[in-house]
Amino acid sequence: MKVLLVGSGGREHALAWKLAQSKRLEKLYIAPGNPGTAQFGENVDIKDTDVEGLVKFAKGADVNFAIIGPEDPLAAGAVDAFEAAGIKAFGPSGKAAQLEGDKAFAKQIMRANSIPTAESRTFTSFDDAKSYIASRDEAVVVKAAGLAKGKGVFVCDEPSDGILAAEQIMVDRIFGEAGDTVIVEDKLLGQEASILAFVDGRSIYVMETSQDHKPVGEGDTGPNTGGMGAYSPAPIVSDKLMDQIVKEILIPTVDGMNRNDTPYRGILYAGIMLTQGGPRVLEFNVRFGDPETQPILMRMKSDLLDVMEAVCDGRLGDIAIEWDSRPAVCVVMSSGGYPGDYEKGKVISGLDEAGKLSDVVVFHAGTAQKGTEIVTSGGRVLGVTALGDTIADAKAKAYQAVDTISFEGAYCRRDIADKAL
Ligand code: AMP
Ligand code: GLY
């Protein structure tokens, strides 16, 4: 099978690493990929949002399966475009991808199907948002409705900060048109879990659980990022809790999407807050999480290509997926300053040495090849991931690998997975 994988982050390196283990993989192209994905296939210089260019390339290269990693091309209808060209594609349709691409749409689906989530209001005028926030004296969460690279959410303990956030999003337009609509919702308290499932339109297969670390600072302080680390499994999600999540959240979402004439196929990722009142949806994503994918795929034993094809063919109910019982921990190394401004082009050393450690894989995210060297080229640079007999063991191995790698300004949180210890 000839596969085109779309994307260039740590998630895509993990997907390429896993797909390369498939006996049925004949050729892997990655567009645009990164120096990590280049170890497993051929990087093709086409932007992940250039849907037309991607489809044209796939036709010319006789690609028979396209796998879309990130949300932007999915929301732009990449899967529809591949299918229109007769190429099987993994992921939801553009309309179904609005579950992530438009948080107002997601709230509507949740409301219509009684899916537990935070109380919210939707605004298209800053003045309305401002008077609503000002009328409240509790903490609020202000969210740009559109796609903002995981940075569009502001958790504000003071209403005045909430007004400032709404102003930045709606008036200063820091996320462009993604902020034309804003959701203001109640702040939920609890621990978070990432629930990722394969969905083929009807059947749901829930993967092993994981937990992300969104804020940049240790102890979950500072602004939100795309994710500073993750571990799997998340012991806080008991079997009983998982049953409840499947019954109250995943099944009604898949059913609701069918009723809405936007049937759902691909990865359904529910970001969940485990509140005292039960699990509540924080957000839906329509793709693998980054960095959750790194530890999850390290633990997956089955052939990912088989599973993805079964999703596309509506045969998910017929297959079994095997998992390594050992936990995995991923620590993200980022450029100093991220998620704000940061410098690029810093030479990374120690990658080979770290990669030689057993049960460790260093997934590239924001890296670039410059001559014979690998340099930084993004905010999240590497996802250093390790399997261990226990979470503590996996954590120790991941940080051992982190400590062999260096680049100017390198930053990582030192408390990844501590919540599970
Ligand atoms: P989202 O992209 O909607 O998942 O939001 C990013 C992060 O913001 C989440 O992972 C939470 O840490 C936080 N967050 C979002 N919504 C809420 C909420 N209603 N209450 C508390 N924290 C939230
Ligand atoms: N790690 C969170 C996300 O992928 O959106």
Short mmCIF file of all heavy atoms in Angstrom, two decimals, residues 183-251:
data_model
loop_
_atom_site.label_atom_id
_atom_site.label_comp_id
_atom_site.label_asym_id
_atom_site.label_seq_id
_atom_site.Cartn_x
_atom_site.Cartn_y
_atom_site.Cartn_z
N ILE A 183 -16.67 31.68 22.66
CA ILE A 183 -17.48 30.95 23.64
C ILE A 183 -17.01 31.38 25.02
O ILE A 183 -15.80 31.42 25.27
CB ILE A 183 -17.24 29.42 23.53
CG1 ILE A 183 -17.14 28.92 22.09
CG2 ILE A 183 -18.21 28.61 24.38
CD1 ILE A 183 -18.42 28.84 21.36
N VAL A 184 -17.95 31.71 25.88
CA VAL A 184 -17.59 32.00 27.28
C VAL A 184 -18.24 30.91 28.11
O VAL A 184 -19.46 30.71 28.04
CB VAL A 184 -18.11 33.39 27.71
CG1 VAL A 184 -17.71 33.66 29.17
CG2 VAL A 184 -17.54 34.47 26.80
N GLU A 185 -17.42 30.16 28.83
CA GLU A 185 -18.03 29.08 29.61
C GLU A 185 -17.56 29.06 31.05
O GLU A 185 -16.60 29.71 31.42
CB GLU A 185 -17.84 27.72 28.91
CG GLU A 185 -16.44 27.22 28.80
CD GLU A 185 -16.36 25.85 28.10
OE1 GLU A 185 -17.17 25.57 27.18
OE2 GLU A 185 -15.49 25.07 28.48
N ASP A 186 -18.30 28.30 31.85
CA ASP A 186 -17.94 28.16 33.26
C ASP A 186 -16.64 27.39 33.38
O ASP A 186 -16.37 26.49 32.60
CB ASP A 186 -19.04 27.37 34.00
CG ASP A 186 -20.34 28.14 34.08
OD1 ASP A 186 -20.34 29.33 33.71
OD2 ASP A 186 -21.35 27.54 34.51
N LYS A 187 -15.89 27.74 34.41
CA LYS A 187 -14.65 27.01 34.65
C LYS A 187 -14.97 25.72 35.40
O LYS A 187 -15.68 25.74 36.40
CB LYS A 187 -13.69 27.86 35.48
CG LYS A 187 -12.38 27.15 35.75
CD LYS A 187 -11.42 28.01 36.58
CE LYS A 187 -10.20 27.19 36.96
NZ LYS A 187 -9.28 27.93 37.82
N LEU A 188 -14.45 24.63 34.90
CA LEU A 188 -14.66 23.34 35.56
C LEU A 188 -13.41 22.98 36.35
O LEU A 188 -12.29 23.34 35.96
CB LEU A 188 -14.91 22.25 34.51
CG LEU A 188 -16.12 22.46 33.60
CD1 LEU A 188 -16.15 21.39 32.51
CD2 LEU A 188 -17.40 22.39 34.43
N LEU A 189 -13.61 22.26 37.44
CA LEU A 189 -12.47 21.86 38.27
C LEU A 189 -12.32 20.35 38.25
O LEU A 189 -13.32 19.62 38.22
CB LEU A 189 -12.69 22.32 39.71
CG LEU A 189 -12.76 23.83 39.92
CD1 LEU A 189 -13.07 24.16 41.37
CD2 LEU A 189 -11.45 24.48 39.49
N GLY A 190 -11.08 19.90 38.23
CA GLY A 190 -10.84 18.46 38.28
C GLY A 190 -9.59 18.12 37.51
O GLY A 190 -8.86 19.00 37.09
N GLN A 191 -9.36 16.83 37.36
CA GLN A 191 -8.24 16.38 36.55
C GLN A 191 -8.72 16.14 35.13
O GLN A 191 -9.87 15.78 34.91
CB GLN A 191 -7.67 15.08 37.11
CG GLN A 191 -6.66 15.31 38.19
CD GLN A 191 -5.58 14.23 38.20
OE1 GLN A 191 -4.97 13.92 37.17
NE2 GLN A 191 -5.36 13.65 39.34
N GLU A 192 -7.80 16.30 34.20
CA GLU A 192 -8.17 16.12 32.80
C GLU A 192 -7.71 14.76 32.28
O GLU A 192 -6.73 14.21 32.75
CB GLU A 192 -7.51 17.20 31.95
CG GLU A 192 -8.14 18.54 32.14
CD GLU A 192 -7.47 19.61 31.29
OE1 GLU A 192 -7.26 19.38 30.09
OE2 GLU A 192 -7.17 20.68 31.85
N ALA A 193 -8.44 14.26 31.31
CA ALA A 193 -7.99 13.04 30.63
C ALA A 193 -8.31 13.17 29.15
O ALA A 193 -9.26 13.84 28.76
CB ALA A 193 -8.70 11.82 31.21
N SER A 194 -7.46 12.55 28.34
CA SER A 194 -7.68 12.55 26.89
C SER A 194 -8.19 11.17 26.51
O SER A 194 -7.52 10.17 26.74
CB SER A 194 -6.38 12.82 26.15
OG SER A 194 -5.83 14.05 26.56
N ILE A 195 -9.40 11.14 25.95
CA ILE A 195 -9.99 9.87 25.53
C ILE A 195 -10.00 9.86 24.01
O ILE A 195 -10.70 10.66 23.38
CB ILE A 195 -11.43 9.73 26.08
CG1 ILE A 195 -11.46 9.97 27.59
CG2 ILE A 195 -12.01 8.37 25.70
CD1 ILE A 195 -10.68 8.98 28.43
N LEU A 196 -9.21 8.98 23.43
CA LEU A 196 -9.13 8.89 21.98
C LEU A 196 -9.77 7.59 21.52
O LEU A 196 -9.50 6.53 22.09
CB LEU A 196 -7.68 8.92 21.49
CG LEU A 196 -7.02 10.30 21.40
CD1 LEU A 196 -6.59 10.79 22.77
CD2 LEU A 196 -5.82 10.26 20.47
N ALA A 197 -10.61 7.69 20.51
CA ALA A 197 -11.27 6.50 20.01
C ALA A 197 -11.21 6.45 18.49
O ALA A 197 -11.22 7.50 17.83
CB ALA A 197 -12.73 6.49 20.46
N PHE A 198 -11.12 5.25 17.95
CA PHE A 198 -11.35 5.07 16.52
C PHE A 198 -12.86 4.95 16.34
O PHE A 198 -13.53 4.26 17.11
CB PHE A 198 -10.70 3.76 16.02
CG PHE A 198 -9.20 3.76 16.04
CD1 PHE A 198 -8.49 3.07 17.02
CD2 PHE A 198 -8.48 4.43 15.05
CE1 PHE A 198 -7.10 3.05 17.02
CE2 PHE A 198 -7.09 4.42 15.05
CZ PHE A 198 -6.40 3.73 16.03
N VAL A 199 -13.38 5.62 15.32
CA VAL A 199 -14.82 5.58 15.05
C VAL A 199 -15.01 5.34 13.56
O VAL A 199 -14.38 6.02 12.74
CB VAL A 199 -15.48 6.92 15.45
CG1 VAL A 199 -16.97 6.91 15.10
CG2 VAL A 199 -15.30 7.20 16.93
N ASP A 200 -15.86 4.38 13.19
CA ASP A 200 -16.05 4.10 11.76
C ASP A 200 -17.43 4.53 11.27
O ASP A 200 -17.92 4.02 10.26
CB ASP A 200 -15.79 2.62 11.46
CG ASP A 200 -16.87 1.71 12.02
OD1 ASP A 200 -17.81 2.20 12.69
OD2 ASP A 200 -16.79 0.48 11.78
N GLY A 201 -18.05 5.44 12.00
CA GLY A 201 -19.40 5.87 11.62
C GLY A 201 -20.44 5.27 12.55
O GLY A 201 -21.44 5.90 12.85
N ARG A 202 -20.14 4.03 13.02
CA ARG A 202 -21.07 3.37 13.95
C ARG A 202 -20.32 2.85 15.16
O ARG A 202 -20.63 3.17 16.29
CB ARG A 202 -21.74 2.17 13.26
CG ARG A 202 -22.76 2.51 12.20
CD ARG A 202 -23.17 1.25 11.46
NE ARG A 202 -22.00 0.59 10.90
CZ ARG A 202 -21.89 -0.71 10.65
NH1 ARG A 202 -22.87 -1.52 10.96
NH2 ARG A 202 -20.80 -1.21 10.11
N SER A 203 -19.30 2.00 14.89
CA SER A 203 -18.58 1.38 16.01
C SER A 203 -17.54 2.33 16.59
O SER A 203 -16.97 3.16 15.87
CB SER A 203 -17.86 0.12 15.54
OG SER A 203 -18.78 -0.77 14.99
N ILE A 204 -17.32 2.14 17.88
CA ILE A 204 -16.35 2.97 18.60
C ILE A 204 -15.34 2.05 19.26
O ILE A 204 -15.73 1.11 19.95
CB ILE A 204 -17.06 3.79 19.70
CG1 ILE A 204 -18.11 4.72 19.08
CG2 ILE A 204 -16.06 4.56 20.55
CD1 ILE A 204 -19.02 5.38 20.11
N TYR A 205 -14.04 2.27 19.02
CA TYR A 205 -13.02 1.52 19.74
C TYR A 205 -12.20 2.52 20.55
O TYR A 205 -11.49 3.36 19.98
CB TYR A 205 -12.11 0.74 18.77
CG TYR A 205 -11.08 -0.03 19.53
CD1 TYR A 205 -11.24 -1.38 19.82
CD2 TYR A 205 -9.94 0.61 20.04
CE1 TYR A 205 -10.31 -2.07 20.59
CE2 TYR A 205 -9.00 -0.07 20.80
CZ TYR A 205 -9.20 -1.40 21.07
OH TYR A 205 -8.28 -2.08 21.84
N VAL A 206 -12.30 2.44 21.86
CA VAL A 206 -11.58 3.39 22.71
C VAL A 206 -10.15 2.91 22.91
O VAL A 206 -9.91 1.78 23.30
CB VAL A 206 -12.28 3.55 24.08
CG1 VAL A 206 -11.58 4.62 24.90
CG2 VAL A 206 -13.74 3.92 23.89
N MET A 207 -9.21 3.79 22.62
CA MET A 207 -7.79 3.45 22.81
C MET A 207 -7.42 3.52 24.29
O MET A 207 -8.21 3.95 25.12
CB MET A 207 -6.92 4.44 22.04
CG MET A 207 -6.99 4.26 20.55
SD MET A 207 -5.94 5.48 19.74
CE MET A 207 -7.15 6.20 18.66
N GLU A 208 -6.18 3.19 24.59
CA GLU A 208 -5.69 3.34 25.94
C GLU A 208 -5.77 4.83 26.33
O GLU A 208 -5.60 5.71 25.48
CB GLU A 208 -4.24 2.86 26.02
CG GLU A 208 -4.12 1.35 25.84
CD GLU A 208 -4.61 0.61 27.07
OE1 GLU A 208 -3.98 0.73 28.13
OE2 GLU A 208 -5.62 -0.11 26.97
N THR A 209 -6.00 5.08 27.61
CA THR A 209 -6.18 6.47 28.06
C THR A 209 -4.84 7.22 28.12
O THR A 209 -3.77 6.60 28.14
CB THR A 209 -6.77 6.49 29.48
OG1 THR A 209 -5.92 5.70 30.32
CG2 THR A 209 -8.17 5.90 29.48
N SER A 210 -4.93 8.53 28.19
CA SER A 210 -3.71 9.32 28.36
C SER A 210 -4.05 10.65 29.04
O SER A 210 -5.22 11.00 29.17
CB SER A 210 -3.04 9.59 27.02
OG SER A 210 -3.92 10.27 26.16
N GLN A 211 -3.02 11.32 29.47
CA GLN A 211 -3.22 12.65 30.05
C GLN A 211 -2.17 13.60 29.50
O GLN A 211 -0.99 13.26 29.44
CB GLN A 211 -3.12 12.58 31.58
CG GLN A 211 -3.67 13.84 32.25
CD GLN A 211 -3.72 13.73 33.76
OE1 GLN A 211 -2.71 13.45 34.39
NE2 GLN A 211 -4.88 13.95 34.35
N ASP A 212 -2.64 14.74 29.06
CA ASP A 212 -1.80 15.79 28.48
C ASP A 212 -1.39 16.76 29.59
O ASP A 212 -1.93 16.70 30.70
CB ASP A 212 -2.65 16.51 27.42
CG ASP A 212 -1.86 17.48 26.57
OD1 ASP A 212 -0.62 17.52 26.67
OD2 ASP A 212 -2.50 18.23 25.79
N HIS A 213 -0.45 17.65 29.32
CA HIS A 213 -0.07 18.72 30.25
C HIS A 213 -0.08 20.00 29.44
O HIS A 213 0.91 20.31 28.77
CB HIS A 213 1.32 18.47 30.83
CG HIS A 213 1.42 17.22 31.65
ND1 HIS A 213 1.27 15.96 31.12
CD2 HIS A 213 1.63 17.04 32.98
CE1 HIS A 213 1.38 15.06 32.09
NE2 HIS A 213 1.60 15.69 33.22
N LYS A 214 -1.20 20.70 29.47
CA LYS A 214 -1.40 21.86 28.59
C LYS A 214 -0.60 23.10 28.98
O LYS A 214 0.03 23.72 28.13
CB LYS A 214 -2.88 22.23 28.56
CG LYS A 214 -3.73 21.29 27.77
CD LYS A 214 -3.60 21.61 26.31
CE LYS A 214 -4.89 21.45 25.57
NZ LYS A 214 -4.66 21.67 24.13
N PRO A 215 -0.63 23.52 30.26
CA PRO A 215 0.06 24.77 30.60
C PRO A 215 1.58 24.63 30.49
O PRO A 215 2.13 23.54 30.66
CB PRO A 215 -0.36 25.03 32.04
CG PRO A 215 -1.60 24.23 32.23
CD PRO A 215 -1.40 23.00 31.39
N VAL A 216 2.23 25.74 30.21
CA VAL A 216 3.67 25.70 29.96
C VAL A 216 4.48 25.43 31.23
O VAL A 216 5.55 24.83 31.19
CB VAL A 216 4.12 27.02 29.26
CG1 VAL A 216 4.06 28.20 30.21
CG2 VAL A 216 5.49 26.86 28.64
N GLY A 217 3.94 25.84 32.39
CA GLY A 217 4.74 25.78 33.61
C GLY A 217 4.45 24.58 34.49
O GLY A 217 3.36 24.00 34.45
N GLU A 218 5.45 24.24 35.30
CA GLU A 218 5.27 23.13 36.24
C GLU A 218 4.12 23.42 37.20
O GLU A 218 3.86 24.57 37.52
CB GLU A 218 6.59 22.88 36.98
CG GLU A 218 7.52 22.08 36.09
CD GLU A 218 8.99 22.21 36.43
OE1 GLU A 218 9.32 22.52 37.57
OE2 GLU A 218 9.80 21.96 35.51
N GLY A 219 3.45 22.36 37.62
CA GLY A 219 2.29 22.54 38.48
C GLY A 219 1.12 23.14 37.73
O GLY A 219 0.23 23.74 38.32
N ASP A 220 1.12 22.99 36.40
CA ASP A 220 0.05 23.52 35.55
C ASP A 220 -0.15 25.02 35.73
O ASP A 220 -1.25 25.50 35.98
CB ASP A 220 -1.28 22.78 35.83
CG ASP A 220 -1.27 21.38 35.23
OD1 ASP A 220 -0.43 21.12 34.34
OD2 ASP A 220 -2.08 20.54 35.66
N THR A 221 0.94 25.75 35.60
CA THR A 221 0.88 27.21 35.69
C THR A 221 1.24 27.83 34.34
O THR A 221 1.85 27.17 33.50
CB THR A 221 1.88 27.72 36.75
OG1 THR A 221 3.16 27.14 36.47
CG2 THR A 221 1.45 27.32 38.16
N GLY A 222 0.85 29.08 34.18
CA GLY A 222 1.20 29.80 32.94
C GLY A 222 0.23 29.50 31.82
O GLY A 222 -0.72 28.75 31.98
N PRO A 223 0.50 30.12 30.65
CA PRO A 223 -0.44 29.99 29.53
C PRO A 223 -0.49 28.58 28.96
O PRO A 223 0.45 27.80 29.12
CB PRO A 223 0.12 30.98 28.49
CG PRO A 223 1.53 31.23 28.88
CD PRO A 223 1.64 31.01 30.36
N ASN A 224 -1.61 28.30 28.28
CA ASN A 224 -1.75 27.01 27.63
C ASN A 224 -0.87 26.91 26.38
O ASN A 224 -0.60 27.89 25.71
CB ASN A 224 -3.20 26.78 27.20
CG ASN A 224 -4.03 26.17 28.31
OD1 ASN A 224 -3.49 25.47 29.18
ND2 ASN A 224 -5.32 26.41 28.30
N THR A 225 -0.44 25.68 26.13
CA THR A 225 0.39 25.39 24.95
C THR A 225 -0.34 24.30 24.16
O THR A 225 -1.42 23.86 24.53
CB THR A 225 1.74 24.81 25.38
OG1 THR A 225 1.52 23.52 25.97
CG2 THR A 225 2.44 25.71 26.38
N GLY A 226 0.30 23.82 23.09
CA GLY A 226 -0.24 22.66 22.38
C GLY A 226 -0.16 21.40 23.23
O GLY A 226 -0.84 20.41 22.95
N GLY A 227 0.65 21.42 24.28
CA GLY A 227 0.83 20.25 25.16
C GLY A 227 2.32 20.04 25.43
O GLY A 227 3.11 19.97 24.51
N MET A 228 2.68 20.01 26.72
CA MET A 228 4.09 19.93 27.10
C MET A 228 4.54 18.53 27.48
O MET A 228 5.69 18.31 27.87
CB MET A 228 4.36 20.87 28.29
CG MET A 228 4.17 22.35 27.97
SD MET A 228 5.22 22.93 26.62
CE MET A 228 6.86 22.73 27.33
N GLY A 229 3.63 17.55 27.40
CA GLY A 229 4.01 16.19 27.73
C GLY A 229 2.77 15.38 27.96
O GLY A 229 1.67 15.95 28.12
N ALA A 230 2.91 14.08 27.94
CA ALA A 230 1.74 13.22 28.13
C ALA A 230 2.20 11.85 28.62
O ALA A 230 3.35 11.48 28.43
CB ALA A 230 0.97 13.06 26.82
N TYR A 231 1.28 11.16 29.26
CA TYR A 231 1.58 9.78 29.64
C TYR A 231 0.36 8.93 29.40
O TYR A 231 -0.77 9.42 29.29
CB TYR A 231 2.05 9.69 31.10
CG TYR A 231 1.03 10.16 32.11
CD1 TYR A 231 0.12 9.27 32.67
CD2 TYR A 231 0.99 11.50 32.49
CE1 TYR A 231 -0.83 9.71 33.59
CE2 TYR A 231 0.05 11.94 33.41
CZ TYR A 231 -0.86 11.04 33.96
OH TYR A 231 -1.78 11.48 34.85
N SER A 232 0.60 7.64 29.27
CA SER A 232 -0.47 6.66 29.05
C SER A 232 -0.10 5.38 29.76
O SER A 232 1.05 4.96 29.68
CB SER A 232 -0.63 6.40 27.55
OG SER A 232 -1.50 5.31 27.32
N PRO A 233 -1.00 4.69 30.46
CA PRO A 233 -2.39 5.08 30.66
C PRO A 233 -2.52 6.14 31.75
O PRO A 233 -1.56 6.42 32.47
CB PRO A 233 -3.02 3.76 31.12
CG PRO A 233 -1.94 3.06 31.87
CD PRO A 233 -0.67 3.43 31.16
N ALA A 234 -3.74 6.71 31.86
CA ALA A 234 -4.04 7.66 32.93
C ALA A 234 -4.82 6.88 33.98
O ALA A 234 -5.99 6.59 33.80
CB ALA A 234 -4.88 8.81 32.39
N PRO A 235 -4.15 6.50 35.10
CA PRO A 235 -4.81 5.63 36.08
C PRO A 235 -6.06 6.23 36.69
O PRO A 235 -6.91 5.51 37.21
CB PRO A 235 -3.73 5.40 37.16
CG PRO A 235 -2.54 6.15 36.74
CD PRO A 235 -2.77 6.81 35.44
N ILE A 236 -6.21 7.55 36.59
CA ILE A 236 -7.40 8.19 37.17
C ILE A 236 -8.67 7.74 36.46
O ILE A 236 -9.76 7.78 37.04
CB ILE A 236 -7.25 9.73 37.15
CG1 ILE A 236 -8.42 10.37 37.88
CG2 ILE A 236 -7.16 10.29 35.74
CD1 ILE A 236 -8.13 11.71 38.46
N VAL A 237 -8.54 7.30 35.21
CA VAL A 237 -9.73 6.85 34.48
C VAL A 237 -9.96 5.35 34.77
O VAL A 237 -9.38 4.49 34.14
CB VAL A 237 -9.60 7.08 32.96
CG1 VAL A 237 -10.89 6.72 32.25
CG2 VAL A 237 -9.23 8.53 32.67
N SER A 238 -10.79 5.10 35.77
CA SER A 238 -11.09 3.71 36.14
C SER A 238 -11.99 3.09 35.06
O SER A 238 -12.54 3.81 34.22
CB SER A 238 -11.83 3.69 37.48
OG SER A 238 -13.06 4.39 37.32
N ASP A 239 -12.15 1.77 35.11
CA ASP A 239 -13.03 1.11 34.14
C ASP A 239 -14.46 1.65 34.25
O ASP A 239 -15.14 1.83 33.24
CB ASP A 239 -13.05 -0.41 34.37
CG ASP A 239 -11.72 -1.04 34.00
OD1 ASP A 239 -10.90 -0.34 33.37
OD2 ASP A 239 -11.49 -2.22 34.35
N LYS A 240 -14.86 1.91 35.49
CA LYS A 240 -16.21 2.40 35.71
C LYS A 240 -16.40 3.78 35.08
O LYS A 240 -17.39 4.06 34.42
CB LYS A 240 -16.47 2.45 37.23
CG LYS A 240 -17.88 2.75 37.59
CD LYS A 240 -18.15 2.46 39.08
CE LYS A 240 -19.38 3.25 39.50
NZ LYS A 240 -19.08 4.30 40.48
N LEU A 241 -15.39 4.62 35.29
CA LEU A 241 -15.43 5.96 34.72
C LEU A 241 -15.42 5.88 33.19
O LEU A 241 -16.13 6.63 32.50
CB LEU A 241 -14.20 6.72 35.22
CG LEU A 241 -14.25 8.24 35.29
CD1 LEU A 241 -15.52 8.73 35.95
CD2 LEU A 241 -13.02 8.74 36.03
N MET A 242 -14.63 4.96 32.67
CA MET A 242 -14.58 4.82 31.21
C MET A 242 -15.93 4.39 30.66
O MET A 242 -16.38 4.92 29.64
CB MET A 242 -13.48 3.82 30.82
CG MET A 242 -13.32 3.67 29.33
SD MET A 242 -12.97 5.24 28.50
CE MET A 242 -11.22 5.09 28.32
N ASP A 243 -16.60 3.47 31.35
CA ASP A 243 -17.95 3.06 30.91
C ASP A 243 -18.87 4.26 30.83
O ASP A 243 -19.65 4.42 29.90
CB ASP A 243 -18.55 2.05 31.90
CG ASP A 243 -17.95 0.67 31.71
OD1 ASP A 243 -17.28 0.46 30.68
OD2 ASP A 243 -18.14 -0.18 32.61
N GLN A 244 -18.77 5.10 31.87
CA GLN A 244 -19.61 6.29 31.94
C GLN A 244 -19.29 7.25 30.78
O GLN A 244 -20.18 7.81 30.14
CB GLN A 244 -19.38 6.99 33.29
CG GLN A 244 -20.41 8.04 33.60
CD GLN A 244 -20.10 8.74 34.93
OE1 GLN A 244 -19.15 8.38 35.65
NE2 GLN A 244 -20.89 9.74 35.27
N ILE A 245 -18.00 7.40 30.49
CA ILE A 245 -17.57 8.30 29.39
C ILE A 245 -18.09 7.77 28.05
O ILE A 245 -18.58 8.52 27.22
CB ILE A 245 -16.03 8.44 29.40
CG1 ILE A 245 -15.58 9.23 30.62
CG2 ILE A 245 -15.53 9.08 28.10
CD1 ILE A 245 -14.08 9.20 30.90
N VAL A 246 -18.01 6.46 27.88
CA VAL A 246 -18.49 5.87 26.61
C VAL A 246 -19.99 6.09 26.49
O VAL A 246 -20.49 6.53 25.46
CB VAL A 246 -18.12 4.37 26.53
CG1 VAL A 246 -18.80 3.71 25.34
CG2 VAL A 246 -16.60 4.21 26.43
N LYS A 247 -20.71 5.78 27.59
CA LYS A 247 -22.18 5.85 27.54
C LYS A 247 -22.70 7.28 27.44
O LYS A 247 -23.62 7.57 26.68
CB LYS A 247 -22.75 5.22 28.83
CG LYS A 247 -23.49 3.93 28.54
CD LYS A 247 -24.17 3.40 29.79
CE LYS A 247 -23.64 2.01 30.07
NZ LYS A 247 -23.37 1.71 31.46
N GLU A 248 -22.10 8.19 28.23
CA GLU A 248 -22.66 9.55 28.31
C GLU A 248 -22.06 10.50 27.28
O GLU A 248 -22.65 11.54 26.99
CB GLU A 248 -22.44 10.13 29.71
CG GLU A 248 -23.20 9.37 30.77
CD GLU A 248 -22.97 9.92 32.17
OE1 GLU A 248 -22.27 10.94 32.32
OE2 GLU A 248 -23.48 9.30 33.12
N ILE A 249 -20.89 10.14 26.75
CA ILE A 249 -20.22 11.10 25.86
C ILE A 249 -19.97 10.53 24.46
O ILE A 249 -20.44 11.08 23.47
CB ILE A 249 -18.90 11.60 26.51
CG1 ILE A 249 -19.24 12.41 27.77
CG2 ILE A 249 -18.09 12.44 25.51
CD1 ILE A 249 -18.07 12.75 28.65
N LEU A 250 -19.25 9.42 24.37
CA LEU A 250 -18.83 8.97 23.03
C LEU A 250 -20.01 8.47 22.20
O LEU A 250 -20.18 8.87 21.04
CB LEU A 250 -17.75 7.89 23.14
CG LEU A 250 -16.44 8.33 23.82
CD1 LEU A 250 -15.42 7.20 23.81
CD2 LEU A 250 -15.85 9.56 23.16
N ILE A 251 -20.84 7.60 22.77
CA ILE A 251 -21.96 7.06 21.99
C ILE A 251 -22.93 8.18 21.58
O ILE A 251 -23.28 8.29 20.40
CB ILE A 251 -22.68 5.91 22.75
CG1 ILE A 251 -21.72 4.72 22.88
CG2 ILE A 251 -23.97 5.49 22.05
CD1 ILE A 251 -22.25 3.56 23.71
#
